[in-house]
Amino acid sequence: MNILAIDPGSTSTKIGIYFDGKIYRSKVEHLDENFLKLKNVIEQKDFRFDHIKRYLKESTFEDINFDAIVARGGLVKNIEGGVYIVNEKLIEDLKNGINGEHPANLGGILASEFSNIYNCPAFIVDPPIIDEMWDIAKITGVSSITRKSKFHALNHKEVARYIAKEKLRKNYDDSILIVAHMGGGITIGLHYYGKVVDVNNGLDGDGPFAIERAGTLPVDGIVEYLKNENITPDDFLKIIIKSSGFYSHLKTKDMIEVENMIRYGDNKAKKVLDAFVYNISKEIGGLFAAAKGKIDGIVLTGGLANSKLIVEKIKNYVGFMSEIYVVPGEYEIEALINGAIRVLKGEDNAKIYE
């Protein structure tokens, strides 16, 4: 079977082609001046479509007849995880940004357009707003405020399935794992028999602080900051998502630079990194308690899982809880293609978005 995978990012689109049993990756950059002037994500659709079409035409995959097009899911309604058929309702909600604007919103739309060309089905897999959380995990001390499920669902689920199959010799649906995705944002979730039943909303800055995200903040500090800076909630949200975390403390978003600062004796950098690791470990510990201590393993993934320093520091905190598995990087293209393969092979049923 032949599959085209589409994963839109802010100024590029990752492409994966499954052909002859292998995955071929590429990235199409969108740095055209006219593209960068576009006001919103939906206006980028034609640019991205033309760039992907041109790539396919100029590549060695021009004459492939695809059996499925699969794309990263966007900020649609809160739904359970799985593979979904791209239908009119899904496209409508992606265009309207029903749960917010994000480049991933173009995934299902682009998949639909290419599926029309190749006369094959279009799917999305595990969008970032899948909601499988326990009800008690959503309740807060203010009745009108609930915790939301927004996280790196695609990579979370893929590495959890991999560890369950290859290391535990179990099905994902029979496993209990704590997965920590550590990248530009940090999301840590409890995967409980195939469902992510508790996870921090890393997209909006909840949980441990990250490279540029603030993480959970004390309420009194938020109130005081808003008063002193005299800014709107929208402006504050931009700050906690784009210019907080390591950047707020050390004025860099490069973790290699942070480690070099520590190597050359920068005590402030060391203290911030130690706090970073401490907060991640505390989040893992909370989910360990939520699982009543009965877990099959802890998985560290994302770009920062490449850091031996960070991994070893986390192991020093939580290594006593369970076996720790390290799967560095992200596997979104694999997750998309594997999701489509499961459906095409009849191992999983594609769900209907309503």
Side-chain angles (χ1 to χ4, degrees):
M1 60 186 73
N2 304 319
I3 299 168
L4 170 64
I6 300 171
D7 184 1
S10 56
T11 58
S12 66
T13 301
K14 295 177 185 175
I15 296 174
I17 294 176
Y18 182 75
F19 175 71
D20 198 22
K22 296 179 182 179
I23 296 177
Y24 299 86
R25 302 164 170 274
S26 189
K27 181 190 287 187
V28 178
E29 300 286 353
H30 310 299
L31 300 176
D32 184 282
E33 183 178 343
N34 292 323
F35 176 88
L36 298 175
K37 287 180 180 178
L38 296 174
K39 295 179 180 179
N40 58 54
V41 165
I42 295 303
E43 289 182 0
Q44 300 172 4
K45 189 264 292 181
D46 290 339
F47 268 86
R48 291 182 189 260
F49 177 83
D50 290 342
H51 285 187
I52 296 169
K53 193 174 179 181
R54 187 182 310 126
Y55 164 77
L56 291 173
K57 186 176 182 179
E58 294 173 354
S59 72
T60 57
F61 305 106
E62 179 182 5
D63 298 325
I64 288 181
N65 290 317
F66 290 108
D67 299 295
I69 314 295
V70 60
R72 185 180 178 192
L75 303 184
V76 290
K77 291 177 180 177
N78 293 113
I79 52 179
E80 68 176 3
V83 180
Y84 284 80
I85 296 171
V86 176
N87 57 19
E88 290 185 7
K89 180 59 181 171
L90 178 67
I91 292 173
E92 178 187 342
D93 285 353
L94 289 170
K95 286 181 177 178
N96 292 333
I98 193 170
N99 227 331
E101 185 176 272
H102 192 279
N105 288 5
L106 287 170
I109 298 170
L110 290 168
S112 176
E113 297 218 356
F114 279 101
S115 74
N116 291 332
I117 293 175
Y118 292 100
N119 192 28
C120 64
F123 306 112
I124 63 166
V125 182
D126 291 327
I129 47 62
I130 65 172
D131 184 358
E132 301 167 339
M133 288 175 68
W134 286 328
D135 288 341
I136 57 172
K138 297 180 183 180
I139 296 172
T140 74
V142 178
S143 62
S144 60
I145 298 176
T146 58
R147 293 182 63 225
K148 296 178 180 178
S149 177
K150 292 184 181 180
F151 67 110
H152 304 88
L154 202 54
N155 194 54
H156 260 254
K157 291 265 189 176
E158 181 65 14
V159 297
R161 287 189 178 98
Y162 167 77
I163 291 298
K165 180 181 178 181
E166 300 297 331
K167 302 297 181 181
L168 303 177
R169 306 300 179 190
K170 286 184 173 185
N171 291 324
Y172 172 58
D173 293 347
D174 298 323
S175 307
I176 303 176
L177 292 163
I178 295 172
V179 178
H181 178 104
M182 305 181 297
I186 307 293
T187 55
I188 304 173
L190 175 58
H191 294 241
Y192 195 85
Y193 299 127
K195 305 288 185 184
V196 184
V197 296
D198 199 349
V199 65
N200 65 293
N201 175 3
L203 189 65
D204 296 328
D206 179 32
F209 70 83
I211 293 173
E212 59 184 359
R213 296 181 187 175
T216 302
L217 298 170
V219 175
D220 61 334
I222 294 173
V223 173
E224 185 176 351
Y225 187 92
L226 290 173
K227 285 181 179 178
N228 292 340
E229 300 297 326
N230 192 29
I231 60 175
T232 66
D234 286 342
D235 288 336
F236 181 62
L237 187 60
K238 291 176 184 176
I239 291 170
I240 66 174
I241 292 176
K242 290 295 184 182
S243 55
S244 297
F246 277 92
Y247 180 76
S248 177
H249 289 283
L250 304 174
K251 302 307 175 195
T252 181
K253 297 182 181 182
D254 185 344
M255 289 301 292
I256 294 176
E257 183 179 350
V258 172
E259 291 196 20
N260 285 334
M261 292 165 72
I262 295 170
R263 194 172 291 112
Y264 289 108
D266 190 319
N267 289 327
K268 182 179 180 181
K270 180 181 182 302
K271 186 175 287 187
V272 174
L273 184 75
D274 285 345
F276 170 72
V277 168
Y278 175 79
N279 277 272
I280 290 174
S281 302
K282 214 167 51 161
E283 193 83 12
I284 292 172
L287 294 178
F288 181 71
K292 300 178 181 177
K294 298 176 181 178
I295 64 173
D296 295 307
I298 297 168
V299 186
L300 305 180
T301 185
L304 297 185
N306 285 295
S307 168
K308 293 181 180 179
L309 177 63
I310 291 172
V311 168
E312 287 306 312
K313 283 179 175 288
I314 293 173
K315 284 182 176 181
N316 286 337
Y317 275 109
V318 303
F320 73 94
M321 297 177 185
S322 182
E323 185 74 24
I324 296 178
Y325 302 97
V326 182
V327 189
E330 55 83 14
Y331 298 86
E332 293 182 342
I333 291 295
E334 287 87 348
L336 293 173
I337 290 172
N338 288 336
I341 288 174
R342 288 194 299 273
V343 170
L344 293 176
K345 284 186 173 182
E347 298 171 355
D348 197 0
N349 293 320
K351 298 175 181 179
I352 305 298
Y353 180 82
E354 297 177 330

